[in-house]
Amino acid sequence: MGNRTFAMIKPDATRNGHTGKILDRTIQAGFKVLGAKLIRMTKAQAEGFYAVHRERPFFEELTTFMSSGQTMVLALEKENAVAAWRETIGATNPAEADEGTIRKDFATSLGENAVHGADSDENANIEIGFWFTGSELISNQ
Ligand code: CMP
């Protein structure tokens, strides 16, 4: 068993028909999917999930966007999952993302950047707990 991270396929990517391609890239990169759910988060849920950014100038834009359509929330497992997922998705700003990363290929802007990844093990557990109950996380073994 490896570590866990929390990921999201954001409304821009689901709207543009990229959900399947991003999931395929995720699995091909060696991540095991422990949980997956298609949701449409409310504005209040977006504000709660991103509470750490409450004072940022982009908070309103971010929470409006994240509640604008479908999001796939994912609990992923891999050795060093948090760092491995951040490497797989690339820089937050797609203009700075490396070739071959998910954001390089699917993100359109800093605000609409296709995917999310937790930034630490601690936040990964908090974020997984925000969207999943323990019994919704399933091992394939
Ligand atoms: P994410 O990894 O989901 O975490 C916070 C999000 O805020 C980030 O991805 C970006 O999509 C968004 N974000 C960060 N900086 C800005 C910005 N300057 N303007 C708009 N959105 C931003």
Side-chain angles (χ1 to χ4, degrees):
M1 194 179 108
N3 314 101
R4 292 174 176 185
T5 193
F6 176 74
M8 294 192 282
I9 303 175
K10 297 187 180 186
D12 58 317
T14 57
R15 205 174 277 132
N16 293 334
H18 294 147
T19 309
K21 284 173 277 189
I22 292 173
L23 268 180
D24 188 50
R25 294 262 287 254
T26 303
I27 293 163
Q28 292 306 319
F31 293 89
K32 298 217 162 69
V33 179
L34 300 180
K37 235 188 252 191
L38 188 64
I39 62 160
R40 177 167 182 164
M41 66 179 78
T42 64
K43 184 79 158 55
Q45 283 176 316
E47 288 166 357
F49 181 81
Y50 281 115
V52 64
H53 296 306
R54 202 180 311 112
E55 305 304 327
R56 303 286 193 96
F58 57 82
F59 185 66
E60 176 60 28
E61 177 190 330
L62 173 63
T63 54
T64 297
F65 165 63
M66 288 303 295
S67 55
S68 72
Q70 294 177 323
T71 291
M72 180 164 279
V73 291
L74 297 163
L76 303 176
E77 185 180 70
K78 194 186 178 187
E79 200 70 37
N80 296 317
V82 168
W85 179 245
R86 291 176 75 78
E87 198 170 307
T88 300
I89 63 180
T92 305
N93 186 346
E96 293 161 13
D98 288 339
E99 291 293 331
T101 61
I102 288 175
R103 282 180 175 144
K104 177 74 179 179
D105 293 342
F106 300 112
T108 47
S109 66
L110 175 57
E112 304 202 359
N113 61 354
V115 286
H116 166 80
D119 64 3
S120 66
D121 286 348
E122 188 190 357
N123 284 337
N125 283 324
I126 293 169
E127 293 176 9
I128 288 171
F130 197 95
W131 299 110
F132 293 98
T133 63
S135 63
E136 288 175 322
L137 304 176
I138 309 161
S139 167
N140 205 17
Q141 308 307 312

